[in-house]
Amino acid sequence: MDSDQKTLNMATVGADTLARAARTRITSIQAKGIASSTLILYDSSDASTPGTAVATYNYGTEGLEVYIPGSGIKFENGIVYNLAGSGGSVTVTITGA
């Protein structure tokens, strides 16, 4: 059986970074707990001009675990992210891969 669910690991810190340049839905997010972390997600295929944020998550040492109900968050053009903090990484589950 083949599934359309895949994972992306986002580990670049402090810069707008292209994670996927295609239509995608994020269905869950897990992040390592680092003090004063922020994850910003953009619907864009261009990291140099990502546009308006679709979602922003602020978290600390407790980490982040989010299940997005229904069909998830739709990114029509792709996913650009910015992970701010002293380190760490974020793993997202996606469909449309």
Side-chain angles (χ1 to χ4, degrees):
M1 181 174 161
D2 191 28
S3 174
D4 67 345
Q5 290 256 317
K6 307 287 185 219
T7 58
L8 295 175
N9 185 266
M10 303 173 176
T12 301
V13 176
D16 292 335
T17 305
L18 180 64
R20 180 169 163 79
R23 185 176 186 269
T24 306
R25 290 181 185 271
I26 291 180
T27 56
S28 73
I29 303 167
Q30 292 184 317
K32 180 179 179 181
I34 302 290
S36 302
S37 294
T38 302
L39 172 65
I40 306 171
L41 301 170
Y42 301 92
D43 181 355
S44 177
S45 60
D46 184 357
S48 66
T49 55
T52 303
V54 172
T56 301
Y57 298 93
N58 297 305
Y59 58 98
T61 55
E62 73 280 0
L64 177 70
E65 288 189 28
V66 178
Y67 168 74
I68 297 134
S71 297
I73 303 171
K74 183 170 84 171
F75 294 81
E76 195 65 44
N77 301 298
I79 302 170
V80 170
Y81 72 94
N82 189 306
L83 177 59
S86 60
S89 67
V90 175
T91 300
V92 296
T93 304
I94 63 167
T95 59

